[in-house]
């Protein structure tokens, strides 16, 4: 290209000198006015061509310089990506070993726990059977004693009535004998003997009656003691049953927690592998696309240079022909000059350059850029979600506690609340809006509404639309939830049961959502990306996305507050990862 430019410049300089000297050698027969006009026009034409050639030379130099810079940037990017790929491979290998060891350890613990649980279950069943048999025997014995003493009581009541009748008859005989005593002393003596015998019999009967009453009283005492013992046995059995149920629920909760932890780790490992595979495929496709773009750019440059060379040769032919012509009509009637091939080549080069820059410029405008501001420690045991009520940051834990923190100082919780009205309760999503605090209980697949001033007070709860809800958010007018099984985003109505499903990207699993300034922010745990969506005409349109290296548990987009209406920040609750331990509150400016 340099040789062609030098030759073209030398040719133009030669023509310039020739045109400058042409008035002196013009034929005398030509009119003076025509010679002057032809000379001025040739002079202006050569001047214009020289300026255009200089401008074209400068343009191609700038294009070549930008190409070299782009190639240098691409080479540096390729080296950085290769280094990052090597680091990721090393992390995946170390993660495989650690996950395999943890899986074996968890499997051993679970087998020991199952054996212990089976032994305790068998022991509890044996105790339950023995207590039931003892309770049945005691009840049967008490029933038999009660029926026997009831029969004795009836028999002795009959005897007592018979004794009373005999006493009345003896009293009547005694009175009759006393009346007849005056009649005969021998009869009186006989009656006196009979009276003594009756008296002795009556005393014996009364003594026997007293003894029977004493035996009856002792039997009643023994019966009361037996009933008391039966009540104590039933109470002890109820206590043992309650203890067994509590231990059973604790073992079940431990099993659910361990299984959930293991499933989460397995899902994260699968997500890491999938993310690494996708990033590798995206990198290969991006490099192939860049190679294709570079080849197309080189082809366009070659075509433009060829057209420029052809234009230069045509221009040289024109100037040669122009040097042998005189008059304005001869110059203006040549059609090649009117079409200006150099202008077409320059326009084609501009179009090629605009097409090459269109893709990077569009990707740059759509990319989400976060600038780190601060990182604060979060003293949490097992956090599951985060939200913001305008003054306090609320965090939920797996054990059912809701904690409130000052966003400027997260070292100590300002409020700690335990929700006990809807046990078992394991919140995995939080949202403020509509005059209430909303939480998502994934274990029970339900959405719980809390009093904002007393979150431990549950106003009501509703079942989630799907079997596997994972995220919750409030847009200022309605409550939204996402279900990982149905791959749908749900907008809930004001009533307790109405909702509407919306389709969104299928290849993702959102675990954190937040609405801010009419945009939906969500974190895709499968692709480890933060994405934003616009909602217009009942349709979600993706706006931007960004790959996150942190393990995001909760996310809040703050778009203006009372102290600074222009603030635009993204707060992220990041959990432990390979590079760091503990939980952090990360703040970014976007």
């Amino acid at each position: 290209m340099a040789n062609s430019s030098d030759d073209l410049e030398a040719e133009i300089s030669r023509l310039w000198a020739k045109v400058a000297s042409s008035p002196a050698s013009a034929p005398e027969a030509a009119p003076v006015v025509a010679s002057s006009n032809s000379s001025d026009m040739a002079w202006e034409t050569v001047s214009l061509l020289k300026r255009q050639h200089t401008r074209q030379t400068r343009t191609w130099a700038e294009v070549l310089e930008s190409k070299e810079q782009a190639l240098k940037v691409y080479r540096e990017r390729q080296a950085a990506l290769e280094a990052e790929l090597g680091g990721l491979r090393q992390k995946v290998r170390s993660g495989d070993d650690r996950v395999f060891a943890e899986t074996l350890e968890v499997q051993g613990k679970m087998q020991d726990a199952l054996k212990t649980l089976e032994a305790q279950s068998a022991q509890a069943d044996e105790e339950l059977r023995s207590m039931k048999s003892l309770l049945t025997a005691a009840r049967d014995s008490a029933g038999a004693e009660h029926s026997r003493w009831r029969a004795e009581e009836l028999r002795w009541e009959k005897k007592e009535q018979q004794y009373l009748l005999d006493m009345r008859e003896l009293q009547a005989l005694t009175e009759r004998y006393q009346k007849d005593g005056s009649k005969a002393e021998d009869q009186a003596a006989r009656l006196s003997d009979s009276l003594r015998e009756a008296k002795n019999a009556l005393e014996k009967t009364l003594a026997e009656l007293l003894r029977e009453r004493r035996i009856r009283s002792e039997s009643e005492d023994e019966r009361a003691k037996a009933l008391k013992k039966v009540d104590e046995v039933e109470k002890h059995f109820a206590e043992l049953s309650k203890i067994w149920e509590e231990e059973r629920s604790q073992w079940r909760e431990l099993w659910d927690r361990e299984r959930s932890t293991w499933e989460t780790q397995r899902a994260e490992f699968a997500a890491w592998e999938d993310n690494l595979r996708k990033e590798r495929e995206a990198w290969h496709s991006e490099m192939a696309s860049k190679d294709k773009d570079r080849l197309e750019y080189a082809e366009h440059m070659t075509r433009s240079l060829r057209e420029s060379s052809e234009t230069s040769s045509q221009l040289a032919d024109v100037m040669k022909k122009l040097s042998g012509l005189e008059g304005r009509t001869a110059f203006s009637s040549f059609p090649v000059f009117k079409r200006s091939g150099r202008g077409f080549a320059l326009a084609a080069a501009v179009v090629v350059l605009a097409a090459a820059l269109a893709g990077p410029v569009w990707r740059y405008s759509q990319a989400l850029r976060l600038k780190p501001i601060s990182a604060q420690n979060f003293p949490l045991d097992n956090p599951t979600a985060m939200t913001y009520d305008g003054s306090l940051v609320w965090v939920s834990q797996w054990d059912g506690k809701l904690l409130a923190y000052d966003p400027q100082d997260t070292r100590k919780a300002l409020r700690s609340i335990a929700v006990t009205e809807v046990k078992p309760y394991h919140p995995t999503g939080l949202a403020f809006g509509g005059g209430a605090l909303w939480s998502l209980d994934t274990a029970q697949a339900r959405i719980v509404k809390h009093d904002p001033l007393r979150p431990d007070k549950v106003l009501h709860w509703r079942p989630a639309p799907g079997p596997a809800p994972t995220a919750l958010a409030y847009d200022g007018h309605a409550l939204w939830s996402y279900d990982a099984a149905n791959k749908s985003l749900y907008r809930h109505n004001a009533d307790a049961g109405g909702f509407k499903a919306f389709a969104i990207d299928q290849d993702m699993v959102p675990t954190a959502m937040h609405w801010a300034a009419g945009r939906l922010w969500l974190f895709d745990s499968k692709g480890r990306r933060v994405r934003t969506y616009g909602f217009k005409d009942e349709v979600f349109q993706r706006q931007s996305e960004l790959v996150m290296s942190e393990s995001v548990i909760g996310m809040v987009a703050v778009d203006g507050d009372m102290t600074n209406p222009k603030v635009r920040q993204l707060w992220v609750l990041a959990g432990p990862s390979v590079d760091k331990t503990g939980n952090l509150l990360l703040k970014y400016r976007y």
Side-chain angles (χ1 to χ4, degrees):
M1 177 179 177
N3 294 332
S4 300
S5 300
D6 294 340
D7 295 342
L8 181 61
E9 186 175 3
E11 184 66 22
I12 292 175
S13 299
R14 187 180 63 79
L15 291 174
W16 183 279
K18 187 175 181 179
V19 170
S21 60
S22 62
S25 60
E28 295 179 357
V32 178
V33 176
S35 176
S36 178
N37 291 335
S38 176
S39 176
D40 292 342
M41 182 61 67
W43 187 271
E44 292 178 358
T45 302
V46 173
S47 177
L48 176 62
L49 291 174
K50 189 171 184 180
R51 286 197 302 272
Q52 289 181 350
H53 172 69
T54 304
R55 191 180 300 111
Q56 181 184 16
T57 303
R58 189 184 305 113
T59 302
W60 288 119
E62 291 176 355
V63 170
L64 289 175
E65 184 179 359
S66 64
K67 176 184 176 183
E68 294 296 332
Q69 291 179 357
L71 290 174
K72 183 178 179 181
V73 170
Y74 289 151
R75 292 191 186 97
E76 293 177 354
R77 176 64 176 171
Q78 181 179 3
L81 289 174
E82 290 177 353
E84 184 178 358
L85 180 61
L88 289 174
R89 287 175 177 172
Q90 186 65 27
K91 287 183 180 180
V92 168
R93 294 192 190 98
S94 61
D96 289 340
D97 298 337
R98 185 176 64 258
V99 169
F100 182 72
E102 290 178 356
T103 303
L104 291 178
E105 183 180 357
V106 169
Q107 186 176 4
K109 289 182 179 180
M110 293 306 301
Q111 290 178 356
D112 296 339
L114 286 175
K115 291 179 180 179
T116 305
L117 183 60
E118 290 175 356
Q120 290 186 357
S121 177
Q123 183 180 359
D125 292 338
E126 184 65 27
E127 291 180 357
L128 182 62
R129 285 193 296 270
S130 61
M131 294 302 296
K132 284 184 177 180
S133 61
L134 181 60
L135 179 61
T136 303
R139 285 180 175 174
D140 294 338
S141 177
E145 286 291 330
H146 179 70
S147 61
R148 187 173 65 84
W149 287 114
R150 182 63 180 171
E152 287 291 333
E153 183 179 3
L154 294 175
R155 186 169 62 84
W156 285 109
E157 285 179 355
K158 291 180 180 180
K159 284 185 178 182
E160 185 177 4
Q161 292 176 1
Q162 185 64 35
Y163 290 152
L164 291 175
L165 292 175
D166 293 339
M167 285 179 65
R168 291 192 185 98
E169 290 177 359
L170 289 173
Q171 289 176 359
L173 289 172
T174 302
E175 290 175 356
R176 190 171 62 248
Y177 288 154
Q178 286 177 357
K179 290 179 180 179
D180 296 336
S182 60
K183 295 181 179 180
E185 289 182 356
D186 54 340
Q187 189 178 0
R190 190 171 58 251
L191 289 174
S192 178
D193 295 335
S194 299
L195 181 60
R196 278 195 302 271
E197 290 175 0
K199 184 178 181 181
N200 292 332
L202 181 60
E203 288 177 354
K204 290 179 180 180
T205 303
L206 290 175
E208 189 174 0
L209 181 60
L210 292 174
R211 187 173 64 82
E212 291 291 338
R213 285 185 176 179
R214 186 174 64 254
I215 293 172
R216 179 184 177 186
S217 177
E218 292 175 356
S219 299
E220 291 290 338
D221 295 337
E222 290 179 358
R223 178 173 175 272
K225 291 180 180 179
L227 292 176
K228 184 178 181 181
K229 189 174 181 180
V230 169
D231 293 336
E232 291 177 354
V233 169
E234 290 180 349
K235 185 177 180 182
H236 183 61
F237 175 76
E239 291 177 353
L240 289 176
S241 299
K242 183 178 180 181
I243 293 172
W244 161 245
E245 289 296 332
E246 290 178 353
E247 290 181 354
R248 186 177 179 184
S249 63
Q250 290 176 0
W251 279 109
R252 185 183 296 111
E253 183 177 357
L254 178 61
W255 165 255
D256 292 339
R257 184 179 302 175
E258 291 293 336
R259 183 177 63 183
S260 176
T261 303
W262 183 72
E263 290 291 337
T264 302
Q265 291 178 354
R266 186 175 66 178
E268 289 180 354
F269 181 70
W272 290 344
E273 288 184 342
D274 191 32
N275 188 23
L276 179 61
R277 178 179 58 79
K278 287 184 177 181
E279 288 182 353
R280 183 170 63 250
E281 293 176 355
W283 181 74
H284 284 299
S285 62
E286 183 179 0
M287 293 302 297
S289 176
K290 289 180 180 178
D291 291 339
K292 184 178 179 181
D293 293 340
R294 286 197 292 269
L295 290 175
E296 291 179 356
Y297 179 77
E299 290 177 359
H300 283 297
M301 291 292 294
T302 303
R303 191 182 304 110
S304 300
L305 291 175
R306 189 184 301 111
E307 291 176 357
S308 176
S309 177
E310 292 175 358
T311 303
S312 300
S313 62
Q314 291 178 1
L315 182 61
D317 296 336
V318 169
M319 295 306 297
K320 287 179 181 179
K321 292 180 180 182
L322 184 63
S323 62
L325 297 176
E326 292 179 358
R328 184 176 180 180
T329 57
F331 177 75
S332 60
S333 62
F334 199 77
V336 177
F337 181 76
K338 288 183 179 180
R339 287 194 296 268
S340 182
R342 181 181 177 277
F344 288 144
L346 183 59
V350 171
V351 171
V352 170
L353 183 60
L357 293 177
V361 169
W362 182 83
R363 287 192 294 270
Y364 181 81
S365 63
Q366 294 297 319
L368 179 62
R369 292 172 291 277
L370 300 179
K371 181 179 180 182
I373 300 176
S374 64
Q376 306 178 41
N377 290 324
F378 239 147
L380 301 170
D381 295 333
N382 192 3
T384 57
M386 180 180 71
T387 188
Y388 183 56
D389 65 356
S391 60
L392 297 177
V393 173
W394 288 82
V395 180
S396 63
Q397 295 194 146
W398 179 257
D399 58 1
K401 288 186 178 180
L402 303 178
L403 307 174
Y405 291 87
D406 183 358
Q408 306 302 327
D409 186 5
T410 58
R411 292 174 296 179
K412 185 177 180 181
L414 302 180
R415 298 181 65 184
S416 178
I417 298 169
V419 180
T420 59
E421 294 185 6
V422 287
K423 281 189 174 182
Y425 173 69
H426 301 293
T428 57
L430 288 177
F432 260 101
L437 170 63
W438 304 86
S439 65
L440 181 64
D441 187 1
T442 302
Q444 304 299 324
R446 60 186 175 183
I447 299 173
V448 183
K449 183 179 181 181
H450 305 261
D451 187 341
L453 301 179
R454 292 183 55 197
D456 57 333
K457 182 179 180 181
V458 176
L459 301 179
H460 70 82
W461 64 270
R462 68 181 71 172
T470 59
L472 198 67
Y474 199 91
D475 65 354
H477 304 284
L479 186 68
W480 294 77
S481 66
Y482 182 83
D483 188 82
N486 297 337
K487 302 289 186 181
S488 297
L489 192 64
Y490 295 95
R491 181 176 63 192
H492 299 267
N493 298 337
D495 57 356
F499 59 85
K500 182 179 180 181
F502 292 88
I504 202 166
D505 295 343
Q506 295 294 314
D507 192 21
M508 67 176 184
V509 180
T511 54
M513 293 195 311
H514 192 263
W515 281 92
R519 288 197 302 177
L520 175 62
W521 294 70
L522 59 82
F523 174 72
D524 176 19
S525 61
K526 185 176 181 181
R528 301 181 69 85
R529 298 173 184 269
V530 172
R531 296 178 175 179
T532 61
Y533 290 85
F535 187 62
K536 185 177 181 181
D537 298 331
E538 300 292 310
V539 177
F540 283 95
Q541 296 290 339
R542 185 191 299 182
Q543 295 179 343
S544 60
E545 66 176 24
L546 177 67
V547 178
M548 297 292 290
S549 59
E550 292 82 6
S551 177
V552 178
I553 299 174
M555 178 177 61
V556 173
V558 182
D559 198 345
D561 55 16
M562 297 179 64
T563 58
N564 188 1
K566 296 183 179 180
V567 66
R568 299 178 65 188
Q569 296 180 4
L570 181 67
W571 298 353
V572 174
L573 173 58
S577 62
V578 179
D579 301 331
K580 61 180 182 301
T581 59
N583 301 290
L584 298 175
L585 178 61
L586 306 176
K587 295 183 178 180
Y588 301 91
R589 181 180 292 110
Y590 68 90

